[in-house]
Amino acid sequence: MSMLNIEWSEKLSVGIASVDEDHRKLVSLVNDLFSACFAGVGDEAVASILSEVVSYTQYHFGHEEAFLSARNSPALPAHAEEHRQLTEQVLAIARQGREALSEEVLLFLRDWLAHHIMGTDKESFSPYQ
Ligand SMILES: [Fe+2]
Ligand SMILES: [Fe+2]
């Protein structure tokens, strides 16, 4: 296991089971990406995990936005805007491919994931626990 891996813990729970489930999957995909990069697997394998990260991220953001929208959450507009910016950054990384996956980029991915979950996600979902 690489030092970059995120360990799932209750600290990451937002108190909504379906959202927590998505986050576990997302954490595990990002961990797979770290492992693949450090194991020196082929560029194609890394690209395929990266595209899974991108598509799962898009699915997950859609899920959260639908949840908040169905409840007329006042947090939705700012939350969706943060998702839009994060998606753009992840897509930019994916477009650049394997070469762009420096340790710095991997750390950036890990940190936005953890910060977004523990910040914006927790704040937005806490009223619905
Ligand atoms: Fe989330
Ligand atoms: Fe979110």
Side-chain angles (χ1 to χ4, degrees), residues 23 60 64 116-117 121:
H23 287 156
H60 168 63
E64 287 191 349
H116 182 78
I117 292 173
D121 284 350

Side-chain angles (χ1 to χ4, degrees), residues 19 23 60-61 64-65 68 79-80 82-83 86 116-117 120-122 124-125:
V19 176
H23 287 156
H60 168 63
F61 287 173
E64 287 191 349
E65 288 167 28
L68 296 171
H79 198 141
E82 205 173 305
H83 283 168
L86 290 169
H116 182 78
I117 292 173
T120 307
D121 284 350
K122 271 196 182 181
S124 296
F125 293 108

Side-chain angles (χ1 to χ4, degrees), residues 64-79:
E64 287 191 349
E65 288 167 28
F67 182 106
L68 296 171
S69 171
R71 288 156 184 83
N72 288 314
S73 164
L76 178 60
H79 198 141

